[in-house]
Amino acid sequence: MYRSSAKIKEFLDKEKERRKILLDKARQGDPNSIKILQKRYKLRILSKEQYLLEKKREKLFDRARKLGIPSELFSCVSLKALENLVVRGQTWKEIVEEFEKSLREPGKLFLNGIRKLSFIEKYSREGTGAILNYLLKRDKKKMIDILTQVLILLNPWKKKDDEMRYWKKFLGEFNEEELCKLIFYLFWHTGLVSRSFSGAFWGKRVKRTLGILLVSGIKEIANISNRRYVVKIIAEGKFKKKRKIPRIKIKVRSRNRKGEKKFFLGKYKGNVIEGRVCKDGAPIGSELTLSQFRFVKYYGWIFKSLEDGKLYFVKGGKGKEFILYNFKLNQSIKDYIKSSDKIPLFPIRKKLEKDAVFFIGRVGRKRLEVKLRNCCTIGDIIEMRPVRRKNGWILEFYKLGSKKKKLRSYELRREIPYLRRIN
């Protein structure tokens, strides 16, 4: 639709006036005006302190660029740490050369406190960490070389050539992220490292001592060590056996074409060990800390999620997969009816709600429930205890806090009706 230039000028003048009014209100702190300016005009309203901070940041970034400091460090470190890198006027090339000179003799950098303190004094703790991280990023060979030399320095009574080969093979199984965390742990916890390795004089292998150090240290490092152990027993087919399985943390990632939620556990001898979560399990993006709950003969290992308290069971491993199925205590009753006589049943405890009905589960369209209106009221806590009798199960119901031993007993059957009252 055609519009005259006079009308367009009139519209622009009105729009300019409207924006001026909004800016005046925003300067006085009106939240509604600030929101409109941000949404409609894409304008940021800053306080005087924020404005001065922005200007300081811009000047600092300009100086950093002139010195050749990589822009990716700007978002990784605080303003104070970046200022410490800039204030001395050293170019990035000079800083890197100074660090790399020390990294050629890692024993001095990692184990000599005075040498390390001089870097921290110059560039701050955060700045030193950022430089180290930048130098080691995406360079697995350099990280393995540094760690190997440090570990040999801590174990000087071994033959150097044999020990070099041993450590390079051992550390080669770690990925870049894990190696970087190990280096940072050794770098910042020198005293603890020295105390831990002192036990090696009494005949302990350094590898074993390193394992103890990882488990007792940073949670992320402990998780790396624990996952490596779980990956190994899955790959070797030893997962079904009763053994103590350490707590592991996993992150549920994108789903595949089948709609399955996947997570990465680790690698073993070149083979990738992955896991799946059932459709009703934890959502994508969530983290699960799995703690060993119990071993049940029919189901396998049952794990408890520390985040939401859910139970998951892992039915024997295939060697490359770790599948987490949802597990509920009443699930075993439904599986017993549908599947096998060998399925164990578990006690269930519930607080009675509507109509004082104890709901056990659903098999197809049939509800498994026990009506306790005559002997209980809403709010009572009832416990169902399964008892094995000959080839079947008896379900006994108890009211907690009551002097009476037993309320009722039902025989669990494998055909409709599934429950038959005994007394």
Side-chain angles (χ1 to χ4, degrees):
M1 182 176 160
Y2 175 76
R3 288 187 182 183
S4 66
S5 58
K7 284 186 178 180
I8 292 168
K9 189 177 182 301
E10 186 185 348
F11 171 78
L12 290 172
D13 289 341
K14 282 181 181 178
E15 190 69 18
K16 193 177 179 180
E17 187 64 31
R18 196 181 294 120
R19 190 169 63 178
K20 189 182 176 184
I21 293 164
L22 284 169
L23 279 166
D24 290 338
K25 286 183 180 179
R27 286 191 187 104
Q28 293 168 13
D30 179 32
N32 194 37
S33 300
I34 292 169
K35 197 181 286 184
I36 292 167
L37 284 167
Q38 286 175 341
K39 192 174 181 181
R40 186 169 180 178
Y41 299 104
K42 310 297 181 193
L43 293 175
R44 289 172 65 212
I45 308 299
L46 301 174
S47 65
K48 188 179 178 181
E49 292 78 15
Q50 288 174 321
Y51 175 77
L52 291 171
L53 190 69
E54 286 282 327
K55 283 291 179 185
K56 185 182 176 182
R57 187 183 279 114
E58 283 174 17
K59 285 179 183 176
L60 191 62
F61 285 175
D62 287 339
R63 286 178 67 192
R65 286 188 192 98
K66 284 175 185 175
L67 293 170
I69 294 172
S71 56
E72 62 191 80
L73 284 185
F74 296 176
S75 58
C76 298
V77 297
S78 64
L79 278 180
K80 186 69 180 170
L82 190 60
E83 199 172 356
N84 285 324
L85 290 172
V86 168
V87 75
R88 291 181 176 273
Q90 282 182 290
T91 63
W92 180 248
K93 189 179 178 182
E94 289 170 342
I95 294 170
V96 167
E97 281 176 1
E98 187 183 8
F99 247 83
E100 285 194 325
K101 191 178 177 182
S102 296
L103 287 175
R104 289 189 198 107
E105 298 179 78
K108 287 185 180 179
L109 180 62
F110 283 82
L111 305 177
N112 187 338
I114 297 167
R115 181 67 175 149
K116 191 160 58 183
L117 281 170
S118 68
F119 281 112
I120 294 167
E121 190 183 357
K122 274 186 185 180
Y123 311 114
S124 80
R125 187 182 177 91
E126 191 185 351
T128 304
I131 297 164
L132 187 63
N133 186 50
Y134 180 85
L135 288 174
L136 299 176
K137 204 173 181 182
R138 297 182 293 274
D139 197 341
K140 187 173 179 178
K141 187 179 180 299
K142 185 182 277 187
M143 287 191 273
I144 290 174
D145 288 342
I146 290 167
L147 280 168
T148 303
Q149 290 182 56
V150 171
L151 294 168
I152 286 169
L153 281 166
L154 291 163
N155 193 11
W157 55 94
K158 295 285 181 183
K159 287 182 181 178
K160 192 174 179 182
D161 292 341
D162 294 342
E163 200 69 1
M164 283 278 278
R165 282 195 295 272
Y166 171 79
W167 281 117
K168 284 190 175 181
K169 185 182 176 183
F170 173 68
L171 294 167
E173 295 176 10
F174 288 83
N175 62 35
E176 289 165 20
E177 186 186 352
E178 293 166 349
L179 287 169
C180 201
K181 285 175 184 173
L182 275 171
I183 283 178
F184 270 76
Y185 190 62
L186 287 166
F187 187 79
W188 294 116
H189 298 80
T190 308
L192 180 59
V193 172
S194 302
R195 287 197 300 276
S196 300
F197 276 89
S198 63
F201 281 105
W202 300 98
K204 291 182 182 178
R205 279 294 285 165
V206 180
K207 182 179 175 181
R208 171 67 180 151
T209 317
L210 181 64
I212 295 165
L213 181 69
L214 297 181
V215 173
S216 63
I218 300 169
K219 286 181 182 177
E220 290 176 335
I221 300 292
N223 189 48
I224 290 167
S225 180
N226 293 346
R227 275 171 56 175
R228 281 169 58 82
Y229 173 73
V230 173
V231 163
K232 186 180 178 182
I233 61 173
I234 290 170
E236 292 179 352
K238 297 176 182 177
F239 187 74
K240 293 181 186 179
K241 295 180 182 178
K242 284 190 180 182
R243 62 176 70 237
K244 190 172 181 181
I245 297 170
R247 186 181 292 178
I248 57 170
K249 193 172 186 177
I250 57 169
K251 186 167 184 178
V252 182
R253 300 191 184 275
S254 59
R255 48 177 93 230
N256 58 15
R257 289 177 185 176
K258 294 179 183 177
E260 295 166 340
K261 290 172 274 188
K262 308 275 281 188
F263 57 88
F264 174 75
L265 265 177
K267 286 184 178 181
Y268 184 75
K269 292 183 179 177
N271 294 320
V272 175
I273 309 296
E274 292 183 320
R276 288 191 277 133
V277 183
C278 61
K279 289 182 181 179
D280 301 330
I284 290 169
S286 62
E287 288 187 341
L288 290 179
T289 307
L290 300 173
S291 178
Q292 197 172 4
F293 187 63
R294 68 171 74 161
F295 183 82
V296 181
K297 195 172 182 180
Y298 180 81
Y299 290 95
W301 277 109
I302 295 177
F303 290 88
K304 187 174 185 178
S305 167
L306 300 186
E307 283 77 13
D308 53 15
K310 281 186 179 179
L311 295 177
Y312 295 91
F313 71 95
V314 184
K315 242 179 181 175
K318 292 182 180 178
K320 289 186 181 180
E321 280 195 308
F322 188 84
I323 308 169
L324 296 175
Y325 302 92
N326 267 349
F327 183 80
K328 294 178 182 176
L329 295 174
N330 63 359
Q331 181 175 334
S332 57
I333 293 173
K334 292 183 280 183
D335 289 350
Y336 168 79
I337 291 167
K338 287 181 175 181
S339 308
S340 168
D341 291 325
K342 295 176 183 178
I343 294 173
L345 305 190
F346 305 96
I348 303 171
R349 186 179 292 182
K350 280 190 178 183
K351 189 177 182 179
L352 291 185
E353 294 177 355
K354 190 180 178 182
D355 297 332
V357 172
F358 191 101
F359 177 71
I360 298 171
R362 190 186 294 273
V363 181
R365 294 184 180 180
K366 181 71 177 173
R367 285 169 63 91
L368 270 68
E369 60 186 19
V370 175
K371 295 173 183 177
L372 301 168
R373 298 190 195 110
N374 298 336
C375 52
C376 298
T377 55
I378 294 168
D380 287 344
I381 298 172
I382 308 298
E383 186 174 69
M384 183 279 288
R385 299 175 192 168
V387 180
R388 188 79 170 171
R389 295 279 169 83
K390 295 181 181 177
N391 296 324
W393 291 89
I394 304 296
L395 307 184
E396 297 178 348
F397 291 82
Y398 294 83
K399 182 178 176 181
L400 298 187
S402 172
K403 290 181 181 178
K404 292 181 180 179
K405 287 185 178 180
K406 189 165 44 179
L407 294 173
R408 290 179 187 175
S409 296
Y410 287 81
E411 181 190 355
L412 182 64
R413 307 172 72 180
R414 301 192 65 193
E415 64 279 343
I416 297 176
Y418 300 118
L419 294 174
R420 184 175 70 86
R421 186 169 172 180
I422 298 172
N423 55 34

